[in-house]
Amino acid sequence: MEWVYMNNFIHKVGNLWTNKKWKIIPYISLFTLVAIVALVLTILVGVKTIGWNWITGFTLGLIFAFIGIYVVIFATKKLISTENYFLYYFFYVLRIGIYAAPLIIGFLIPTPIFNWIGILLGLTPIILIPLFKNEIL
C-alpha cells in the first residue's frame, strides 16, 4: 500500500516540472540575473567606483548574448525540422563569432567606449544556459 502512495507522489512531482507554468522560471531567473548585475553596475557608476564604459560594455555583451541565445533556439528548431546537420554546424560557428564579436569590438576600438570586463559580464547569460537544460529550448 505504501508503494502505491510513493508512486503517486513521484508521478505528481514529475508532472510538476512539465506543467506549463514552470516553463517561465528560466526566463524569470535570467531576467533577474541581468537586472541585478545592471543595478550593481549602476550603483558602482553612481559612486564613481567604475566608469560608465562598464555599462556600455555590459549592454553590448548582453545584446550579443541574447542574439546568441536566439541563434541556439533557431538552430535547434531548424535541425529538428530539416535534419540538416551541416546547417546546424554553420549556426554553431556563427554563434562562436557572435560571442567573439563584442570582445573584438571592445579590444580594437582605440577609445575606451566599451570595457572588456563589462562585455564579459554581459555575456554571462550564455554561461548559464546549460543550467536550464531544455527549459529555454
Side-chain angles (χ1 to χ4, degrees), residues 23-38 58 62 65-70 73 121-132 135-137:
K23 288 267 189 188
I24 195 132
I25 290 176
Y27 295 109
I28 291 173
S29 59
L30 200 60
F31 177 75
T32 305
L33 170 78
V34 169
I36 289 172
V37 171
F58 176 71
L62 198 63
F66 285 135
I67 290 171
I69 290 171
Y70 176 74
I73 294 169
L121 286 173
L123 290 174
T124 54
I126 62 172
I127 297 170
L128 297 176
I129 287 194
L131 297 177
F132 297 136
E135 278 107 20
I136 288 182
L137 302 175

mmCIF file of all heavy atoms in Angstrom, residues 23-38 58 62 65-70 73 121-132 135-137:
data_model
loop_
_atom_site.group_PDB
_atom_site.id
_atom_site.type_symbol
_atom_site.label_atom_id
_atom_site.label_comp_id
_atom_site.label_asym_id
_atom_site.label_seq_id
_atom_site.Cartn_x
_atom_site.Cartn_y
_atom_site.Cartn_z
ATOM 1 N N LYS A 23 7.512 26.530 -16.942
ATOM 2 C CA LYS A 23 8.388 26.835 -18.077
ATOM 3 C C LYS A 23 8.908 28.264 -18.017
ATOM 4 O O LYS A 23 9.904 28.584 -18.645
ATOM 5 C CB LYS A 23 7.639 26.632 -19.399
ATOM 6 C CG LYS A 23 7.383 25.202 -19.728
ATOM 7 C CD LYS A 23 8.487 24.698 -20.565
ATOM 8 C CE LYS A 23 8.127 23.324 -21.086
ATOM 9 N NZ LYS A 23 9.247 22.729 -21.742
ATOM 10 N N ILE A 24 8.263 29.138 -17.273
ATOM 11 C CA ILE A 24 8.652 30.540 -17.226
ATOM 12 C C ILE A 24 9.779 30.789 -16.228
ATOM 13 O O ILE A 24 10.418 31.839 -16.258
ATOM 14 C CB ILE A 24 7.427 31.417 -16.919
ATOM 15 C CG1 ILE A 24 7.721 32.864 -17.226
ATOM 16 C CG2 ILE A 24 7.030 31.324 -15.479
ATOM 17 C CD1 ILE A 24 6.659 33.501 -18.018
ATOM 18 N N ILE A 25 10.079 29.850 -15.374
ATOM 19 C CA ILE A 25 11.099 30.044 -14.334
ATOM 20 C C ILE A 25 12.476 30.353 -14.922
ATOM 21 O O ILE A 25 13.151 31.257 -14.421
ATOM 22 C CB ILE A 25 11.120 28.838 -13.382
ATOM 23 C CG1 ILE A 25 9.852 28.842 -12.544
ATOM 24 C CG2 ILE A 25 12.351 28.871 -12.484
ATOM 25 C CD1 ILE A 25 9.700 27.664 -11.643
ATOM 26 N N PRO A 26 12.955 29.677 -15.968
ATOM 27 C CA PRO A 26 14.276 30.049 -16.513
ATOM 28 C C PRO A 26 14.319 31.474 -17.050
ATOM 29 O O PRO A 26 15.326 32.163 -16.877
ATOM 30 C CB PRO A 26 14.505 29.048 -17.641
ATOM 31 C CG PRO A 26 13.646 27.910 -17.325
ATOM 32 C CD PRO A 26 12.467 28.456 -16.597
ATOM 33 N N TYR A 27 13.229 31.923 -17.656
ATOM 34 C CA TYR A 27 13.202 33.286 -18.175
ATOM 35 C C TYR A 27 13.237 34.305 -17.037
ATOM 36 O O TYR A 27 13.933 35.312 -17.116
ATOM 37 C CB TYR A 27 11.947 33.508 -19.027
ATOM 38 C CG TYR A 27 11.927 32.666 -20.274
ATOM 39 C CD1 TYR A 27 11.051 31.601 -20.391
ATOM 40 C CD2 TYR A 27 12.794 32.930 -21.322
ATOM 41 C CE1 TYR A 27 11.034 30.826 -21.534
ATOM 42 C CE2 TYR A 27 12.781 32.170 -22.468
ATOM 43 C CZ TYR A 27 11.898 31.113 -22.571
ATOM 44 O OH TYR A 27 11.890 30.349 -23.692
ATOM 45 N N ILE A 28 12.499 34.024 -15.974
ATOM 46 C CA ILE A 28 12.494 34.927 -14.831
ATOM 47 C C ILE A 28 13.863 34.977 -14.175
ATOM 48 O O ILE A 28 14.358 36.044 -13.809
ATOM 49 C CB ILE A 28 11.402 34.508 -13.817
ATOM 50 C CG1 ILE A 28 10.031 34.753 -14.412
ATOM 51 C CG2 ILE A 28 11.553 35.246 -12.502
ATOM 52 C CD1 ILE A 28 8.892 34.224 -13.567
ATOM 53 N N SER A 29 14.509 33.825 -14.028
ATOM 54 C CA SER A 29 15.829 33.809 -13.392
ATOM 55 C C SER A 29 16.867 34.499 -14.266
ATOM 56 O O SER A 29 17.751 35.194 -13.750
ATOM 57 C CB SER A 29 16.246 32.375 -13.068
ATOM 58 O OG SER A 29 16.285 31.604 -14.228
ATOM 59 N N LEU A 30 16.776 34.355 -15.579
ATOM 60 C CA LEU A 30 17.705 35.043 -16.473
ATOM 61 C C LEU A 30 17.496 36.559 -16.410
ATOM 62 O O LEU A 30 18.464 37.325 -16.331
ATOM 63 C CB LEU A 30 17.498 34.538 -17.905
ATOM 64 C CG LEU A 30 18.605 34.750 -18.902
ATOM 65 C CD1 LEU A 30 19.870 34.050 -18.434
ATOM 66 C CD2 LEU A 30 18.192 34.216 -20.244
ATOM 67 N N PHE A 31 16.253 36.995 -16.399
ATOM 68 C CA PHE A 31 15.947 38.416 -16.283
ATOM 69 C C PHE A 31 16.399 38.965 -14.935
ATOM 70 O O PHE A 31 16.905 40.085 -14.846
ATOM 71 C CB PHE A 31 14.443 38.645 -16.478
ATOM 72 C CG PHE A 31 14.044 40.074 -16.309
ATOM 73 C CD1 PHE A 31 14.326 41.008 -17.294
ATOM 74 C CD2 PHE A 31 13.401 40.498 -15.154
ATOM 75 C CE1 PHE A 31 13.971 42.333 -17.145
ATOM 76 C CE2 PHE A 31 13.039 41.814 -14.986
ATOM 77 C CZ PHE A 31 13.327 42.737 -15.990
ATOM 78 N N THR A 32 16.227 38.184 -13.875
ATOM 79 C CA THR A 32 16.654 38.611 -12.547
ATOM 80 C C THR A 32 18.165 38.774 -12.488
ATOM 81 O O THR A 32 18.665 39.746 -11.904
ATOM 82 C CB THR A 32 16.184 37.601 -11.482
ATOM 83 O OG1 THR A 32 14.773 37.429 -11.605
ATOM 84 C CG2 THR A 32 16.539 38.057 -10.099
ATOM 85 N N LEU A 33 18.897 37.856 -13.082
ATOM 86 C CA LEU A 33 20.356 37.968 -13.121
ATOM 87 C C LEU A 33 20.785 39.235 -13.834
ATOM 88 O O LEU A 33 21.634 39.988 -13.335
ATOM 89 C CB LEU A 33 20.974 36.754 -13.820
ATOM 90 C CG LEU A 33 22.454 36.881 -14.130
ATOM 91 C CD1 LEU A 33 23.291 36.650 -12.893
ATOM 92 C CD2 LEU A 33 22.846 35.976 -15.250
ATOM 93 N N VAL A 34 20.196 39.508 -14.979
ATOM 94 C CA VAL A 34 20.535 40.706 -15.745
ATOM 95 C C VAL A 34 20.184 41.967 -14.957
ATOM 96 O O VAL A 34 20.966 42.926 -14.903
ATOM 97 C CB VAL A 34 19.818 40.684 -17.117
ATOM 98 C CG1 VAL A 34 19.929 42.014 -17.815
ATOM 99 C CG2 VAL A 34 20.386 39.575 -17.979
ATOM 100 N N ALA A 35 19.032 41.965 -14.305
ATOM 101 C CA ALA A 35 18.612 43.143 -13.534
ATOM 102 C C ALA A 35 19.530 43.387 -12.342
ATOM 103 O O ALA A 35 19.889 44.543 -12.052
ATOM 104 C CB ALA A 35 17.173 42.967 -13.062
ATOM 105 N N ILE A 36 19.950 42.342 -11.655
ATOM 106 C CA ILE A 36 20.831 42.503 -10.503
ATOM 107 C C ILE A 36 22.187 43.037 -10.926
ATOM 108 O O ILE A 36 22.733 43.959 -10.302
ATOM 109 C CB ILE A 36 20.959 41.175 -9.729
ATOM 110 C CG1 ILE A 36 19.660 40.867 -8.999
ATOM 111 C CG2 ILE A 36 22.128 41.213 -8.744
ATOM 112 C CD1 ILE A 36 19.613 39.495 -8.378
ATOM 113 N N VAL A 37 22.757 42.480 -12.001
ATOM 114 C CA VAL A 37 24.059 42.948 -12.475
ATOM 115 C C VAL A 37 23.956 44.398 -12.946
ATOM 116 O O VAL A 37 24.844 45.219 -12.654
ATOM 117 C CB VAL A 37 24.605 42.025 -13.590
ATOM 118 C CG1 VAL A 37 25.837 42.613 -14.232
ATOM 119 C CG2 VAL A 37 24.918 40.655 -13.031
ATOM 120 N N ALA A 38 22.882 44.745 -13.650
ATOM 121 C CA ALA A 38 22.707 46.126 -14.105
ATOM 122 C C ALA A 38 22.554 47.079 -12.928
ATOM 123 O O ALA A 38 23.116 48.180 -12.940
ATOM 124 C CB ALA A 38 21.495 46.221 -15.026
ATOM 125 N N PHE A 58 28.601 46.237 -20.800
ATOM 126 C CA PHE A 58 27.592 45.285 -20.342
ATOM 127 C C PHE A 58 26.426 45.226 -21.323
ATOM 128 O O PHE A 58 25.942 44.145 -21.665
ATOM 129 C CB PHE A 58 27.097 45.685 -18.950
ATOM 130 C CG PHE A 58 25.999 44.835 -18.416
ATOM 131 C CD1 PHE A 58 26.230 43.537 -18.016
ATOM 132 C CD2 PHE A 58 24.707 45.333 -18.300
ATOM 133 C CE1 PHE A 58 25.214 42.742 -17.524
ATOM 134 C CE2 PHE A 58 23.692 44.574 -17.806
ATOM 135 C CZ PHE A 58 23.934 43.261 -17.410
ATOM 136 N N LEU A 62 25.396 42.032 -23.498
ATOM 137 C CA LEU A 62 24.053 41.495 -23.300
ATOM 138 C C LEU A 62 23.298 41.372 -24.619
ATOM 139 O O LEU A 62 22.613 40.367 -24.857
ATOM 140 C CB LEU A 62 23.292 42.398 -22.336
ATOM 141 C CG LEU A 62 22.065 41.843 -21.677
ATOM 142 C CD1 LEU A 62 22.442 40.657 -20.809
ATOM 143 C CD2 LEU A 62 21.412 42.903 -20.832
ATOM 144 N N ALA A 65 24.739 38.432 -26.365
ATOM 145 C CA ALA A 65 24.368 37.191 -25.682
ATOM 146 C C ALA A 65 22.950 36.769 -26.052
ATOM 147 O O ALA A 65 22.699 35.590 -26.333
ATOM 148 C CB ALA A 65 24.490 37.361 -24.168
ATOM 149 N N PHE A 66 22.021 37.725 -26.089
ATOM 150 C CA PHE A 66 20.651 37.373 -26.447
ATOM 151 C C PHE A 66 20.517 37.022 -27.931
ATOM 152 O O PHE A 66 19.696 36.183 -28.295
ATOM 153 C CB PHE A 66 19.681 38.478 -26.049
ATOM 154 C CG PHE A 66 19.427 38.512 -24.568
ATOM 155 C CD1 PHE A 66 19.427 39.703 -23.874
ATOM 156 C CD2 PHE A 66 19.196 37.350 -23.862
ATOM 157 C CE1 PHE A 66 19.206 39.739 -22.515
ATOM 158 C CE2 PHE A 66 18.970 37.361 -22.498
ATOM 159 C CZ PHE A 66 18.976 38.555 -21.821
ATOM 160 N N ILE A 67 21.333 37.629 -28.779
ATOM 161 C CA ILE A 67 21.354 37.209 -30.184
ATOM 162 C C ILE A 67 21.863 35.777 -30.287
ATOM 163 O O ILE A 67 21.322 34.958 -31.036
ATOM 164 C CB ILE A 67 22.212 38.181 -31.026
ATOM 165 C CG1 ILE A 67 21.526 39.527 -31.165
ATOM 166 C CG2 ILE A 67 22.492 37.599 -32.418
ATOM 167 C CD1 ILE A 67 22.386 40.606 -31.803
ATOM 168 N N GLY A 68 22.896 35.446 -29.499
ATOM 169 C CA GLY A 68 23.418 34.074 -29.485
ATOM 170 C C GLY A 68 22.393 33.077 -28.972
ATOM 171 O O GLY A 68 22.287 31.966 -29.491
ATOM 172 N N ILE A 69 21.633 33.459 -27.944
ATOM 173 C CA ILE A 69 20.582 32.574 -27.431
ATOM 174 C C ILE A 69 19.516 32.353 -28.494
ATOM 175 O O ILE A 69 19.033 31.229 -28.687
ATOM 176 C CB ILE A 69 19.979 33.158 -26.135
ATOM 177 C CG1 ILE A 69 20.992 33.073 -25.003
ATOM 178 C CG2 ILE A 69 18.695 32.431 -25.748
ATOM 179 C CD1 ILE A 69 20.580 33.812 -23.757
ATOM 180 N N TYR A 70 19.158 33.406 -29.204
ATOM 181 C CA TYR A 70 18.178 33.259 -30.283
ATOM 182 C C TYR A 70 18.703 32.330 -31.377
ATOM 183 O O TYR A 70 17.948 31.512 -31.912
ATOM 184 C CB TYR A 70 17.817 34.629 -30.876
ATOM 185 C CG TYR A 70 16.887 34.523 -32.043
ATOM 186 C CD1 TYR A 70 15.544 34.216 -31.861
ATOM 187 C CD2 TYR A 70 17.350 34.689 -33.347
ATOM 188 C CE1 TYR A 70 14.688 34.092 -32.932
ATOM 189 C CE2 TYR A 70 16.507 34.564 -34.422
ATOM 190 C CZ TYR A 70 15.176 34.268 -34.219
ATOM 191 O OH TYR A 70 14.338 34.134 -35.281
ATOM 192 N N ILE A 73 18.290 28.720 -30.236
ATOM 193 C CA ILE A 73 16.899 28.270 -30.353
ATOM 194 C C ILE A 73 16.530 28.047 -31.819
ATOM 195 O O ILE A 73 15.921 27.030 -32.178
ATOM 196 C CB ILE A 73 15.953 29.291 -29.692
ATOM 197 C CG1 ILE A 73 16.206 29.331 -28.184
ATOM 198 C CG2 ILE A 73 14.501 28.967 -29.986
ATOM 199 C CD1 ILE A 73 15.516 30.474 -27.487
ATOM 200 N N LEU A 121 30.739 40.513 -18.455
ATOM 201 C CA LEU A 121 29.554 40.449 -17.594
ATOM 202 C C LEU A 121 28.274 40.364 -18.426
ATOM 203 O O LEU A 121 27.312 39.700 -18.036
ATOM 204 C CB LEU A 121 29.491 41.672 -16.676
ATOM 205 C CG LEU A 121 30.461 41.700 -15.512
ATOM 206 C CD1 LEU A 121 30.386 43.037 -14.802
ATOM 207 C CD2 LEU A 121 30.171 40.574 -14.552
ATOM 208 N N GLY A 122 28.256 41.035 -19.567
ATOM 209 C CA GLY A 122 27.090 40.971 -20.440
ATOM 210 C C GLY A 122 26.917 39.612 -21.091
ATOM 211 O O GLY A 122 25.808 39.221 -21.445
ATOM 212 N N LEU A 123 28.008 38.882 -21.247
ATOM 213 C CA LEU A 123 27.935 37.560 -21.870
ATOM 214 C C LEU A 123 27.640 36.444 -20.863
ATOM 215 O O LEU A 123 27.625 35.276 -21.243
ATOM 216 C CB LEU A 123 29.243 37.253 -22.608
ATOM 217 C CG LEU A 123 29.510 38.077 -23.870
ATOM 218 C CD1 LEU A 123 30.898 37.791 -24.415
ATOM 219 C CD2 LEU A 123 28.463 37.813 -24.925
ATOM 220 N N THR A 124 27.392 36.765 -19.605
ATOM 221 C CA THR A 124 27.128 35.723 -18.601
ATOM 222 C C THR A 124 25.872 34.887 -18.855
ATOM 223 O O THR A 124 25.857 33.728 -18.440
ATOM 224 C CB THR A 124 27.053 36.320 -17.183
ATOM 225 O OG1 THR A 124 26.109 37.369 -17.165
ATOM 226 C CG2 THR A 124 28.400 36.785 -16.720
ATOM 227 N N PRO A 125 24.812 35.404 -19.493
ATOM 228 C CA PRO A 125 23.666 34.513 -19.727
ATOM 229 C C PRO A 125 23.991 33.293 -20.577
ATOM 230 O O PRO A 125 23.357 32.249 -20.413
ATOM 231 C CB PRO A 125 22.647 35.414 -20.440
ATOM 232 C CG PRO A 125 22.957 36.771 -19.959
ATOM 233 C CD PRO A 125 24.446 36.791 -19.795
ATOM 234 N N ILE A 126 24.992 33.367 -21.446
ATOM 235 C CA ILE A 126 25.313 32.183 -22.250
ATOM 236 C C ILE A 126 26.012 31.123 -21.419
ATOM 237 O O ILE A 126 25.981 29.944 -21.762
ATOM 238 C CB ILE A 126 26.166 32.538 -23.482
ATOM 239 C CG1 ILE A 126 27.496 33.136 -23.074
ATOM 240 C CG2 ILE A 126 25.409 33.428 -24.412
ATOM 241 C CD1 ILE A 126 28.465 33.330 -24.199
ATOM 242 N N ILE A 127 26.623 31.521 -20.312
ATOM 243 C CA ILE A 127 27.247 30.547 -19.431
ATOM 244 C C ILE A 127 26.181 29.795 -18.638
ATOM 245 O O ILE A 127 26.353 28.623 -18.317
ATOM 246 C CB ILE A 127 28.238 31.251 -18.481
ATOM 247 C CG1 ILE A 127 29.362 31.876 -19.290
ATOM 248 C CG2 ILE A 127 28.800 30.300 -17.445
ATOM 249 C CD1 ILE A 127 30.257 32.798 -18.504
ATOM 250 N N LEU A 128 25.073 30.445 -18.361
ATOM 251 C CA LEU A 128 24.037 29.841 -17.534
ATOM 252 C C LEU A 128 23.044 28.984 -18.314
ATOM 253 O O LEU A 128 22.230 28.309 -17.699
ATOM 254 C CB LEU A 128 23.274 30.937 -16.790
ATOM 255 C CG LEU A 128 24.122 31.750 -15.819
ATOM 256 C CD1 LEU A 128 23.285 32.855 -15.210
ATOM 257 C CD2 LEU A 128 24.698 30.864 -14.749
ATOM 258 N N ILE A 129 23.103 28.982 -19.626
ATOM 259 C CA ILE A 129 22.146 28.198 -20.418
ATOM 260 C C ILE A 129 22.219 26.702 -20.122
ATOM 261 O O ILE A 129 21.184 26.065 -20.010
ATOM 262 C CB ILE A 129 22.323 28.484 -21.913
ATOM 263 C CG1 ILE A 129 21.766 29.850 -22.170
ATOM 264 C CG2 ILE A 129 21.636 27.453 -22.780
ATOM 265 C CD1 ILE A 129 21.547 30.191 -23.572
ATOM 266 N N PRO A 130 23.401 26.092 -19.955
ATOM 267 C CA PRO A 130 23.393 24.666 -19.633
ATOM 268 C C PRO A 130 22.732 24.325 -18.295
ATOM 269 O O PRO A 130 22.295 23.206 -18.084
ATOM 270 C CB PRO A 130 24.872 24.292 -19.588
ATOM 271 C CG PRO A 130 25.541 25.304 -20.432
ATOM 272 C CD PRO A 130 24.739 26.557 -20.260
ATOM 273 N N LEU A 131 22.639 25.295 -17.398
ATOM 274 C CA LEU A 131 21.988 25.035 -16.116
ATOM 275 C C LEU A 131 20.487 24.869 -16.269
ATOM 276 O O LEU A 131 19.840 24.238 -15.439
ATOM 277 C CB LEU A 131 22.278 26.174 -15.143
ATOM 278 C CG LEU A 131 23.743 26.381 -14.773
ATOM 279 C CD1 LEU A 131 23.890 27.583 -13.870
ATOM 280 C CD2 LEU A 131 24.311 25.153 -14.115
ATOM 281 N N PHE A 132 19.923 25.436 -17.327
ATOM 282 C CA PHE A 132 18.488 25.340 -17.532
ATOM 283 C C PHE A 132 18.094 24.104 -18.325
ATOM 284 O O PHE A 132 16.921 23.859 -18.516
ATOM 285 C CB PHE A 132 17.976 26.589 -18.262
ATOM 286 C CG PHE A 132 18.159 27.856 -17.480
ATOM 287 C CD1 PHE A 132 18.632 28.976 -18.103
ATOM 288 C CD2 PHE A 132 17.875 27.899 -16.152
ATOM 289 C CE1 PHE A 132 18.796 30.137 -17.402
ATOM 290 C CE2 PHE A 132 18.043 29.056 -15.429
ATOM 291 C CZ PHE A 132 18.508 30.180 -16.063
ATOM 292 N N GLU A 135 14.777 23.726 -20.675
ATOM 293 C CA GLU A 135 13.625 24.576 -20.389
ATOM 294 C C GLU A 135 13.542 25.775 -21.305
ATOM 295 O O GLU A 135 12.475 26.230 -21.637
ATOM 296 C CB GLU A 135 13.637 25.031 -18.927
ATOM 297 C CG GLU A 135 13.081 23.992 -17.999
ATOM 298 C CD GLU A 135 14.173 23.329 -17.187
ATOM 299 O OE1 GLU A 135 15.239 23.923 -17.072
ATOM 300 O OE2 GLU A 135 13.934 22.232 -16.687
ATOM 301 N N ILE A 136 14.696 26.344 -21.699
ATOM 302 C CA ILE A 136 14.672 27.500 -22.602
ATOM 303 C C ILE A 136 14.399 27.044 -24.022
ATOM 304 O O ILE A 136 13.660 27.648 -24.755
ATOM 305 C CB ILE A 136 15.965 28.292 -22.502
ATOM 306 C CG1 ILE A 136 16.013 29.031 -21.178
ATOM 307 C CG2 ILE A 136 16.109 29.279 -23.647
ATOM 308 C CD1 ILE A 136 17.216 29.876 -20.973
ATOM 309 N N LEU A 137 15.033 25.960 -24.411
ATOM 310 C CA LEU A 137 14.875 25.486 -25.779
ATOM 311 C C LEU A 137 13.567 24.746 -25.888
ATOM 312 O O LEU A 137 12.927 24.636 -26.818
ATOM 313 C CB LEU A 137 16.031 24.568 -26.157
ATOM 314 C CG LEU A 137 17.410 25.208 -26.032
ATOM 315 C CD1 LEU A 137 18.462 24.179 -26.323
ATOM 316 C CD2 LEU A 137 17.542 26.378 -26.952
#
